[in-house]
Amino acid sequence: MSQRPALARVLGTLVVAAATLAAEYGSGVNLVLVNALGTQPQVTYLVPVALIVAGVVLGPAVLLFARFAQAMPRAGSAYVWMTRTVGQRTGFAASALYLVGVIGSIGFQSYGFAVFFASLLDAVGWHAGAVAAASSVGHIVLGGLLILAFTIAQLRGISSFGRIMAVMLGMVLVVVVLTVVVCLAGDPGAYLRHAADLLGHPVQAPADSTPTLGAFVGVLVLFVYSYGGVSAAPSLGGETRDGKSLSRGLVRGWLIAILLYAAVAFSVFHAVPWYAVHPLVASGHQDAATVPGIIAVLAPRAVTVVFDLFVIVVAGKTVAPLMIDCSRIMYAWSRDGLLPASCARTTDRQVPIVPILVTSVLGLLFVVEEATAGFQIGVALRSVTFMLVIAIVGLGWLRLRALPARRPSWATELVGRRELLVAAPIAVAVAVALMISGFVQPNTPLLLQPGVQALITLAIAAVLWVLAVRRNQGRLGEDQAASEMERISG
């Protein structure tokens, strides 16, 4: 374990910002944005506001993560930050929960890729192909091919990943511009007529459209998912040039996401009356409530085809940073002795091959889960565990501040950041509030509830911990993890 691993520190601020946005802008905004009304109809017309508020309330957490990223840019950053501040057992358990949420999100994003692919086939007139792509088997096959493509891309090296993310940033901007232009020019009456045709009856605005606080908070929890790049991008810490590149890229990616989400959300709900969405979702017409489905109603066929092509790529690319996130966390686990040493070995292209392959297999399993049972793990559990990580990182900073005698040398500048005296407690409070709200989801089977899935994950993590202790002859421990920052490289 004394040998420093061979990860390549080549990524700059632009790639980190692009990766932050890439882990966010995809199926989350194109699929979850409108369908949130299907889950929480009583949020009514506040969906766009909820999407923006979800990003704003994460501001203190973004600042907290940025300061940690500058002080300790490491592979699997969030895991490293937690273990080096609150102890290895707690950090490992939290990162295990988070990892399952991210892998579930890989399944959800791959599922969304198949949905948008089916929309494209329908737009070009191949209805039989669209039906096949939209089936459970179609979702699994297309999602599996997407994961395979990004597995190969990752094995080619982190520089290839960086180039892909830079190109994807440009494609995201194109999708946003098309969405805003079409929706602002669209006629809300056209969408209402389309909804009436699908439902077989006119859609009327309810007499009472007052949103409820519970529904608003519930949607906030779902929309936290749309800012998951805040936790995913720091895992590139072992491959960024330095801490400043990681920190700046993280903040810039988050700010860009808020601006783009605001433009898309308000333009979409300009063209789509909110009260038309829930009846469509409830009657099984979810595809009509996605952004590509809305564009298909409002735009000429040629524009729809071009839009769908871009959305397929933009939605699919979200899988790449999520896979990086998972594989680097496993890599960091291995460096700490929690997984076999083979998981920390890198190839000639300086990538950890075993974690990448394991991530791919688990991602495929979750594609099957998403296609057959639902996206509670991929969206709800990821949001909840993202909040858990924020809370623990915040508590870790407060612990460093309160216990100077146990403070490692790398944390000296970090604890001197006075802005974190405000940001860290706020980040913890927001995270705990949203986490409590998200552990129980309405209209969800018991086995798929985030709380139940979390208990299952903790049981598996406990087994891994026991195996790791036996493999390392009892040398694992919180004090060891807290004192040996340099065991995770680059």
Side-chain angles (χ1 to χ4, degrees):
M1 286 295 182
S2 60
Q3 180 182 358
R4 294 182 66 81
L7 294 181
R9 283 193 174 276
V10 297
L11 303 181
T13 300
L14 176 62
V15 172
V16 175
T20 302
L21 187 63
E24 299 173 348
Y25 197 101
S27 297
V29 67
N30 286 294
L31 192 59
V32 174
L33 174 59
V34 181
N35 275 279
L37 276 163
T39 304
Q40 300 281 359
Q42 290 180 309
V43 72
T44 65
Y45 56 84
L46 289 182
V47 171
V49 176
L51 182 61
I52 297 168
V53 170
V56 172
V57 298
L58 287 177
V62 173
L63 179 59
L64 179 68
F65 275 35
R67 295 310 186 198
F68 264 96
Q70 191 168 352
M72 192 192 295
R74 296 292 183 268
S77 289
Y79 159 76
V80 180
W81 303 338
M82 290 187 292
T83 56
R84 274 56 177 176
T85 57
V86 299
Q88 193 173 23
R89 291 184 181 87
T90 301
F92 173 63
S95 65
L97 288 169
Y98 172 77
L99 186 74
V100 171
V102 176
I103 295 175
S105 187
I106 292 173
F108 172 70
Q109 297 291 349
S110 302
Y111 176 92
F113 172 78
V115 170
F116 301 136
F117 194 86
S119 179
L120 172 64
L121 296 180
D122 192 57
V124 300
W126 188 16
H127 303 299
V131 172
S135 66
S136 295
V137 174
H139 282 119
I140 294 170
V141 171
L142 290 171
L145 290 174
L146 179 68
I147 290 173
L148 176 61
F150 281 119
T151 299
I152 294 172
Q154 286 189 69
L155 294 176
R156 290 177 60 85
I158 197 65
S159 295
S160 296
F161 169 82
R163 288 190 290 269
I164 291 172
M165 290 299 98
V167 172
M168 291 300 105
L169 178 59
M171 297 194 74
V172 166
L173 296 177
V174 172
V175 168
V176 169
V177 170
L178 285 174
T179 302
V180 171
V181 170
V182 170
C183 289
L184 289 182
D187 175 18
Y191 191 83
L192 285 175
R193 290 190 292 272
H194 178 69
D197 290 340
L198 292 175
L199 296 170
H201 59 79
V203 180
Q204 301 292 336
D208 183 10
S209 60
T210 304
T212 66
L213 179 61
F216 186 80
V217 173
V219 170
L220 277 184
V221 174
L222 292 178
F223 283 165
V224 162
Y225 169 88
S226 298
Y227 294 92
V230 169
S231 61
S235 280
L236 289 168
E239 288 142 306
T240 51
R241 296 192 187 105
D242 50 46
K244 287 185 178 180
S245 298
L246 184 61
S247 176
R248 291 171 180 171
L250 178 63
V251 173
R252 291 173 187 178
W254 166 71
L255 289 173
I256 293 171
I258 291 179
L259 293 175
L260 297 186
Y261 284 160
V264 169
F266 282 104
S267 61
V268 164
F269 282 95
H270 166 80
V272 178
W274 63 267
Y275 53 84
V277 175
H278 183 257
L280 288 172
V281 175
S283 62
H285 296 289
Q286 291 92 340
D287 292 351
T290 65
V291 174
I294 294 166
I295 298 297
V297 176
L298 302 176
R301 183 175 179 180
V303 174
T304 299
V305 171
V306 171
F307 183 84
D308 286 348
L309 279 170
F310 274 92
V311 167
I312 286 174
V313 177
V314 166
K317 64 95 180 67
T318 312
V319 169
L322 298 178
M323 293 179 69
I324 289 282
D325 191 16
C326 291
S327 63
R328 275 30 175 200
I329 289 174
M330 293 183 198
Y331 170 83
W333 285 357
S334 180
R335 291 294 299 170
D336 273 358
L338 293 165
L339 290 179
S342 59
C343 293
R345 296 195 185 109
T346 56
T347 67
D348 292 340
R349 295 181 181 270
Q350 297 177 285
V351 294
I353 184 170
V354 173
I356 290 174
L357 295 178
V358 171
T359 296
S360 302
V361 173
L362 293 176
L364 180 59
L365 292 177
F366 272 88
V367 172
V368 176
E369 187 275 335
E370 304 288 345
T372 57
F375 58 79
Q376 289 82 0
I377 294 176
V379 176
L381 185 61
R382 189 194 178 197
S383 297
V384 169
T385 55
F386 177 22
M387 292 297 98
L388 176 64
V389 169
I390 290 173
I392 294 178
V393 172
L395 290 173
W397 184 87
L398 293 171
R399 184 173 184 266
L400 289 175
R401 179 87 183 186
L403 301 173
R406 301 189 64 182
R407 186 182 303 159
S409 58
W410 61 264
T412 301
E413 183 179 354
L414 178 65
V415 297
R417 298 283 188 176
R418 295 186 179 276
E419 66 271 22
L420 294 185
L421 285 171
V422 176
I426 293 177
V428 172
V430 170
V432 170
L434 294 181
M435 185 169 52
I436 292 173
S437 301
F439 263 118
V440 178
Q441 292 293 308
N443 305 316
T444 300
L446 179 63
L447 186 61
L448 295 179
Q449 287 287 352
V452 175
Q453 293 294 329
L455 291 175
I456 295 172
T457 300
L458 287 176
I460 296 172
V463 173
L464 290 176
W465 178 270
V466 171
L467 292 175
V469 170
R470 290 180 178 177
R471 185 171 55 250
N472 291 275
Q473 300 178 343
R475 288 180 295 161
L476 288 175
E478 295 180 4
D479 292 339
Q480 177 191 30
S483 63
E484 296 185 19
M485 181 193 83
E486 289 303 327
R487 293 193 57 201
I488 301 285
S489 87

